Amino acid sequence: MSLSENVDIEKSSAAEQAPPAPRRSRKVTAAAAANGHAGAGSADVSGSTLPGEYQPPAYEYRGKSAFAECWALLRPLWRSAFRGRIGLLAAGIIVLLVGNMIGQIKLNEWHGAFFDALEQQNLGVFGNQLLIFLGIVGALLALVVGQTWMQEMLKVRLRQWMTHHLLDEWLVAGRAYRLGLAGQIGVNPDQRIEEDTRKLTELSTTLGVGLLQAGMLLVTFISILWVLSDDVVFTYEGTSFSIPGYMVWCALLYAFIGSFLTWRVGVPLINLNAERYAREADLRFALVRVSESAESIALFGGEPDERRQLEGNLDRVILSMRQLSGKLARLTWITSGYGWIAIVVPIVVAAPGYFSGGLTLGGLMMVVGAFNQVQASLRWFVDHFPPIADWRATLQRVSAFKAAVAKLEEIDDSIESIHVTRGSEEMLGFEDVSVLLSDGRVVIAEATVEIRRGERVLIVGESGAGKSTLFRAVAGLWKWGSGTIRLPGTDKMMFMPQRPYLPLGTLRAAISYPESPDNFTTEQMEDVLKRVGLADFVEALDVQARLDKSLSLGQQQLIGFARLLLHEPSWVFLDEATSALDEVSQRRVMSIFDDELSDASVLSIGHRPGLEAFHTRTLHLVRTPDGAMLHQKHPQAPQEESVEWRSAILKELPDFIWRRSEPAG
């Protein structure tokens, strides 16, 4: 590694010095983007962050038409493995709808014959018509049951596909982490993937099938109604005449008036529904946060304060619901009034034909039946506007989430970013790396920092100096800055944050994460637990538990080191990974790098005294009024002390614990 003894790390606040010019003309600096100059994809965060805090450029979703959003969501379906099953269900529903349409035509014809039999008081024909009615109704019932089953299965398959698709888009190489930094659009991904997706697929299926059925019935019965309109004869001053398509025009006019009034009164429901879902998500997040932090809240006696916070979230939900209720009540005046009046409208408009003698009672019932079918198809929009508004709101939320995930690369590309590449397996290198931190820029200026295979380097410094952000930059999570980080060519790298991630499930699954527990033997699991000082947990390998709740932070860190031993990486990155351990436990786990992982390279970040003894070199980040200084120095503990603590560890641990486990298979 070539590095001057004192490398100035020039930094200044945004108020004192403008950010450096971008390296490529098509990009802007991250600092400029944070101040709202990164173009349309950036959010103006001026005044919305903590003092000196860096806010990555956010993504603001600009709404599109419902058709464009539907197409963007459905387009990946054609390449999906679920395409065949969803296509078969959709085709089956169409076939059943055609059968239902034929049944409705037969039922309308039956109405005419049945009421004519009543008018003629013909008992034999009346009985035959009842038998015909039972046959038609039986067929329609079978069709409706089959349609209901297929429709429900289509909801299931659509939700299964869409959830898988969103998870595939979301859980990709740090995307979930970066989405959380993309502004308001990245909050509450759990609700968008679970609740919003469920509502969207269910409403899309219900409304889609209903609209298709209404369209098919409209096309069929509007032609029937046009023909039947010839029987509605008007008499004026002794002259009889009929109006071509008279009943059709009446149905269209009535439907247009109802639809127009519904749209004018109900359109605010779309934004109100979206606002309500956002507030519901905030309340649910706040409740989960209280549940997850119950111990800390109890220790501080913070229940009253948390109650105030939750009541504030609840009040916002209630306000949204009250506004929504008022708009729904206004809309009900239109929809319910439209429905009640529709009972008599067809009889009233067809009455001239009946009273003139051109229509029999059966003929009148056929005209009314056809009118009602046309009217039911045309009033579909009126009857379903509340769920349509709900569907539109969920469509927008899911589309915004999908668009934000897809735009992350463009967001990152709008600013100067750190270039991460794969180089030699024997070296980790930093070339003119600048990392934009919460308080300015940390620059390894005009120097090439190299960490070679087998070295152990410790980075120390004040809190907030940027050590952990540099850790994220090496992991590829924090891209904002400049320069090049050359990672070793091997994939056997492991990053250990201060709080290890422990998945839901058993201790066995936690130690083997992210690999399957089946890849390791029980003996290997037991050995690594004993090696890190968790011998008492050997019998609990397969116990289901919330490990992140039931274990102390120190025990969780020991599990992290057990995981490290099991996976045997070539490069290890530690970020305060021993902060909660006592001195003996710290010595025990750090001795791993003298024995089992003696060939591994280690880059550590830590504050605890005594850590330098476990490393071959130390980089010290020191703040000064003029900037930060990076010092290189050797471990301060004398060699005799290092030998002494290693001897102590050897005495503390049984010999069998030092046995190196062989990998499974």
Side-chain angles (χ1 to χ4, degrees):
M1 171 179 120
S2 62
L3 181 68
S4 58
E5 285 293 315
N6 294 301
V7 181
D8 285 339
I9 301 178
E10 301 176 4
K11 73 177 186 69
S12 61
S13 66
E16 295 174 346
Q17 180 178 335
R23 293 191 174 187
R24 291 177 291 276
S25 59
R26 65 185 180 90
K27 290 190 175 184
V28 297
T29 62
N35 287 315
H37 303 298
S42 299
D44 185 0
V45 296
S46 178
S48 63
T49 59
L50 297 173
E53 182 184 11
Y54 168 61
Q55 175 67 43
Y59 172 69
E60 181 180 354
Y61 179 70
R62 302 186 184 279
K64 301 177 182 178
S65 67
F67 176 80
E69 290 181 346
C70 286
W71 176 246
L73 285 176
L74 289 175
R75 189 167 48 192
L77 177 60
W78 310 122
R79 303 186 299 270
S80 168
F82 295 92
R83 177 184 58 186
R85 283 170 284 183
I86 292 175
L88 285 174
L89 287 170
I93 290 174
I94 292 174
V95 170
L96 292 176
L97 288 178
V98 171
N100 184 278
M101 179 183 65
I102 295 172
Q104 292 294 338
I105 294 173
K106 295 297 183 182
L107 187 62
N108 190 62
E109 294 173 351
W110 172 86
H111 267 95
F114 180 74
F115 281 99
D116 282 341
L118 280 176
E119 187 178 29
Q120 298 166 8
Q121 298 182 351
N122 189 327
L123 185 61
V125 175
F126 177 80
N128 289 334
Q129 290 301 319
L130 285 179
L131 293 176
I132 293 172
F133 172 76
L134 291 176
I136 294 174
V137 169
L140 285 174
L141 180 61
L143 290 170
V144 169
V145 171
Q147 177 185 329
T148 301
W149 181 82
M150 285 194 173
Q151 191 169 315
E152 292 303 312
M153 287 304 300
L154 183 59
K155 292 178 184 178
V156 172
R157 294 304 183 191
L158 279 175
R159 184 183 181 188
Q160 185 182 18
W161 159 72
M162 186 169 288
T163 303
H164 277 286
H165 173 64
L166 292 180
L167 289 175
D168 289 342
E169 294 282 304
W170 183 47
L171 294 178
V172 175
R175 260 189 206 172
Y177 172 79
R178 298 208 305 280
L179 184 65
L181 303 174
Q184 186 65 24
I185 200 67
V187 301
N188 301 319
D190 54 322
Q191 190 198 41
R192 296 174 192 259
I193 294 176
E194 189 269 330
E195 178 68 13
D196 291 342
T197 298
R198 179 187 65 80
K199 289 180 70 69
L200 178 62
T201 52
E202 290 182 355
L203 287 171
S204 296
T205 302
T206 302
L207 294 174
V209 172
L211 180 59
L212 179 61
Q213 185 172 18
M216 294 172 68
L217 290 174
L218 175 63
V219 170
T220 302
F221 278 93
I222 203 168
S223 59
I224 296 174
L225 188 60
W226 187 281
V227 174
L228 292 175
S229 296
D230 292 339
D231 295 331
V232 182
V233 179
F234 297 88
T235 302
Y236 181 72
E237 295 182 353
T239 303
S240 298
F241 63 94
S242 62
I243 301 174
Y246 165 70
M247 295 296 292
V248 174
W249 299 121
C250 291
L252 291 174
L253 178 62
Y254 186 65
F256 172 78
I257 294 173
S259 299
F260 177 75
L261 292 176
T262 300
W263 175 77
R264 286 298 301 270
V265 175
V267 72
L269 290 175
I270 297 174
N271 290 332
L272 287 175
N273 274 309
E275 178 70 15
R276 177 193 170 186
Y277 294 144
R279 300 289 75 79
E280 294 277 10
D282 291 341
L283 175 60
R284 183 170 64 178
F285 174 79
L287 289 169
V288 171
R289 188 170 180 273
V290 170
S291 177
E292 295 290 312
S293 308
E295 180 182 358
S296 298
I297 293 170
L299 291 173
F300 279 98
E303 287 84 357
D305 184 67
E306 295 299 328
R307 176 67 180 267
R308 286 192 295 272
Q309 297 270 5
L310 291 175
E311 286 179 348
N313 285 316
L314 178 61
D315 289 343
R316 286 187 283 275
V317 171
I318 298 301
L319 177 61
S320 296
M321 293 180 68
R322 287 176 57 191
Q323 293 173 334
L324 192 61
S325 299
K327 295 295 183 182
L328 281 172
R330 290 179 59 187
L331 183 62
T332 304
W333 282 100
I334 306 297
T335 56
S336 294
Y338 182 93
W340 287 113
I341 296 173
I343 295 175
V344 298
V345 165
I347 298 176
V348 170
V349 296
Y354 180 72
F355 290 118
S356 68
L359 282 174
T360 64
L361 179 60
L364 177 63
M365 290 299 102
M366 286 184 64
V367 171
V368 170
F371 185 96
N372 285 333
Q373 288 289 358
V374 172
Q375 190 57 221
S377 300
L378 292 173
R379 65 178 280 181
W380 181 87
F381 178 77
V382 176
D383 291 340
H384 295 87
F385 192 84
I388 289 173
D390 201 2
W391 170 81
R392 185 68 184 92
T394 54
L395 173 64
Q396 191 172 59
R397 283 176 59 80
V398 174
S399 297
F401 175 78
K402 177 175 168 55
V405 172
K407 290 285 184 180
L408 282 177
E409 280 69 24
E410 291 185 25
I411 297 172
D412 294 340
D413 198 48
S414 67
I415 62 171
E416 191 75 11
S417 60
I418 300 171
H419 186 49
V420 180
T421 64
R422 289 281 182 179
S424 169
E425 184 175 349
E426 303 298 324
M427 183 192 72
L428 168 68
F430 298 86
E431 296 181 4
D432 299 328
V433 173
S434 304
V435 180
L436 190 58
L437 302 173
S438 61
D439 58 357
R441 297 177 69 85
V442 176
V443 182
I444 303 176
E446 300 178 359
T448 299
V449 178
E450 296 179 354
I451 300 173
R452 297 192 174 278
R453 180 69 179 271
E455 287 191 286
R456 305 178 202 165
V457 178
L458 174 66
I459 300 178
V460 297
E462 299 178 58
S463 297
K467 303 180 301 299
S468 294
T469 309
L470 183 61
F471 175 83
R472 298 187 189 102
V474 175
L477 299 180
W478 194 270
K479 297 188 174 184
W480 302 285
S482 62
T484 301
I485 297 178
R486 300 192 182 279
L487 298 177
T490 178
D491 288 330
K492 299 193 69 174
M493 302 169 61
M494 181 168 285
F495 294 85
M496 297 180 60
Q498 184 176 15
R499 182 177 291 275
Y501 174 68
L502 302 179
L504 298 176
T506 63
L507 179 59
R508 184 187 299 272
I511 298 175
S512 62
Y513 185 84
E515 296 185 28
S516 169
D518 297 335
N519 294 345
F520 305 96
T521 66
T522 299
E523 184 181 17
Q524 286 177 294
M525 298 274 189
E526 294 175 351
D527 284 350
V528 296
L529 283 175
K530 294 173 183 177
R531 174 64 177 87
V532 300
L534 292 176
D536 293 342
F537 287 79
V538 167
E539 301 300 325
L541 271 173
D542 296 307
V543 175
Q544 293 279 345
R546 278 292 304 271
L547 299 175
D548 57 332
K549 290 294 183 183
S550 57
L551 302 182
S552 68
L553 179 57
Q555 290 172 320
Q556 293 179 43
Q557 290 182 344
L558 291 176
I559 290 177
F561 278 95
R563 181 187 296 163
L564 175 74
L565 267 173
L566 205 60
H567 289 81
E568 298 181 328
S570 302
W571 289 79
V572 182
F573 301 87
L574 309 175
D575 183 11
E576 301 282 3
T578 62
S579 61
L581 300 181
D582 59 86
E583 187 175 353
V584 172
S585 295
Q586 178 176 271
R587 288 178 174 178
R588 180 186 295 116
V589 296
M590 293 303 292
S591 67
I592 289 172
F593 302 113
D594 284 308
D595 189 76
E596 291 92 342
L597 301 182
S598 58
D599 294 332
S601 305
V602 181
L603 179 62
S604 297
I605 294 170
H607 291 89
R608 293 192 57 180
L611 271 179
E612 293 181 357
F614 303 97
H615 298 81
T616 56
R617 280 182 296 180
T618 301
L619 304 179
H620 195 179
L621 189 61
V622 181
R623 285 181 172 177
T624 70
D626 297 327
M629 304 290 291
L630 186 64
H631 299 274
Q632 177 187 347
K633 57 184 179 179
H634 295 285
Q636 300 196 0
Q639 184 67 24
E640 300 79 34
E641 180 182 340
S642 180
V643 172
E644 181 181 345
W645 68 256
R646 286 187 176 88
S647 300
I649 289 294
L650 285 170
K651 293 178 181 178
E652 292 173 5
L653 300 177
D655 290 341
F656 74 90
I657 293 179
W658 293 88
R659 182 176 67 247
R660 187 179 184 86
S661 301
E662 295 297 329

